Amino acid sequence: MTLRGWRRRSLVCRQAVALMTDYLDGNLDARSRARLEQHLAACPHCSEYLAQLRVTVDALGRATPDALSDEALDELVGLYRRWRADPETAD
Amino acid sequence: MLLASTPVDDDGALVAGIRAGDEHAFAELVRRYQPRMLRLAEATVGSHAVAQEVTQDTWIAVLRGVDRFEGRSSLKTWLFRILVNRARTAASREQRAGRPEDFGDERFDAAGAWTVPPEPWADRAEDQLMAAQLAQRVQMLLPELPAAQRQVLVLRDVEGLSPEDVSGLLGVSDGNQRVLLHRGRARLRQLLAAEVLP
């Protein structure tokens, strides 16, 4: 393959980054995936960027919501009681 | 009686209990979903106080509609759909000034190469303590993102909904959903980097 042909086929970093969300979602077709993986194998910066994106997604998946307070629970159960008593006017 | 399909958890039993007037079933449903609904409401309206009102309105709508819930979607998706509709109405009522769109910190030269390559820190998250800290930090950093990105991130990466469910819930195209997810993750990655690096 000529150098020119190689350049046309290989990704630049900007293109690699643009594909990463779909890559993490398993949404890339086989050809794009192969091109991205080829780029990643040769580019430590993009590999690091992808690793950081993975850490970010993982951190989001571990995030736990604030605990429900007893007051908030009581308030909503009160709402339920009013609704049971009169379904038309609960609010 | 043979049920057509049993949910992976016992959400269906809770719905039956609520219809039958079982207060404990309602309290359990609130314990299970109120914190997550509040988080999603905050992601949409950007204000804790308004988000509280939105979740309260949502529970009223849930009670009024509980007899019509047929279990075609999961209970979570059904609750979130009601919530997102109310949160949107509230957000437009509040008429909050929109945040500027943010395109993350990806900077490339004319040839498409990094001008400033990302400084390495991903390997530090292999440490469990650091990973736990990052999980806490992302929650605090979410308000820094534009509302549309926050919503998609919470639904996709926090709640784990499918791309199809998120597009449907938010009424955006699949392409738009992917762009928002991409920008949101990129922006959050940038904010996390600022936290991790000295």
Side-chain angles (χ1 to χ4, degrees):
Chain A
M1 194 190 314
T2 63
L3 182 61
R4 221 171 147 170
W6 168 254
R7 279 216 172 122
R8 199 157 45 226
R9 284 194 60 241
S10 71
L11 295 176
V12 294
C13 298
R14 187 182 57 231
Q15 294 169 314
V17 165
L19 291 176
M20 284 180 191
T21 293
D22 285 339
Y23 180 67
L24 291 175
D25 280 357
N27 262 340
L28 285 185
D29 59 76
R31 188 166 167 273
S32 300
R33 192 174 63 240
R35 291 177 81 202
L36 177 59
E37 285 173 351
Q38 195 176 37
H39 179 91
L40 289 169
C43 179
H45 301 321
C46 286
S47 296
E48 172 64 23
Y49 188 88
L50 180 65
Q52 291 177 8
L53 277 184
R54 282 203 165 104
V55 169
T56 304
V57 174
D58 179 68
L60 283 163
R62 289 162 177 254
T64 47
D66 294 338
L68 180 68
S69 71
D70 289 344
E71 293 76 25
L73 180 62
D74 288 348
E75 198 178 317
L76 289 168
V77 169
L79 181 81
Y80 182 70
R81 285 183 191 143
R82 291 197 295 283
W83 175 73
R84 288 290 300 169
D86 184 357
E88 294 307 310
T89 59
D91 53 21
Chain B
M1 186 176 65
L2 195 66
L3 292 173
S5 66
T6 313
V8 283
D9 50 31
D10 58 350
D11 278 353
L14 290 181
V15 170
I18 289 164
R19 285 174 181 155
D22 179 358
E23 189 174 296
H24 297 291
F26 182 74
E28 178 53 32
L29 197 70
V30 168
R31 272 191 211 99
R32 199 173 284 183
Y33 288 106
Q34 169 67 10
R36 311 163 80 174
M37 284 164 56
L38 194 56
R39 180 166 61 185
L40 179 57
E42 279 186 24
T44 306
V45 300
S47 145
H48 185 74
V50 178
Q52 293 271 17
E53 285 174 29
V54 165
T55 58
Q56 180 132 353
D57 287 351
T58 300
W59 285 112
I60 291 169
V62 164
L63 290 175
R64 285 185 174 152
V66 72
D67 284 334
R68 293 192 301 276
F69 176 69
E70 293 171 342
R72 269 190 228 136
S73 59
S74 73
L75 185 69
K76 180 163 101 169
T77 310
W78 185 64
L79 291 174
F80 283 3
R81 183 171 300 127
I82 296 172
L83 178 87
V84 164
N85 285 335
R86 268 153 193 75
R88 282 209 172 136
T89 309
S92 58
R93 198 171 55 221
E94 296 291 310
Q95 290 185 321
R96 293 178 60 251
R99 290 162 193 269
E101 269 298 316
D102 198 297
F103 293 88
D105 66 335
E106 301 146 8
R107 296 282 178 269
F108 304 97
D109 61 23
W114 292 97
T115 47
V116 183
E119 209 173 317
W121 57 265
D123 58 349
R124 295 195 210 173
E126 285 162 18
D127 175 55
Q128 284 304 304
L129 197 63
M130 178 58 108
Q133 280 177 6
L134 290 177
Q136 277 191 332
R137 291 307 299 164
V138 288
Q139 299 231 71
M140 306 181 74
L141 292 169
L142 273 174
E144 306 280 321
L145 271 59
Q149 293 177 18
R150 276 202 310 259
Q151 270 187 317
V152 173
L153 275 186
V154 168
L155 289 169
R156 286 291 316 278
D157 289 341
V158 180
E159 294 292 349
L161 264 60
S162 70
E164 297 75 28
D165 277 348
V166 174
S167 299
L169 265 177
L170 300 179
V172 299
S173 69
D174 178 57
N176 202 348
Q177 181 265 141
R178 277 151 59 193
V179 168
L180 291 167
L181 184 67
H182 184 77
R183 288 183 185 162
R185 284 176 178 172
R187 174 71 177 139
L188 205 54
R189 183 212 66 84
Q190 180 191 18
L191 293 169
L192 274 186
E195 299 268 330
V196 174
L197 296 169

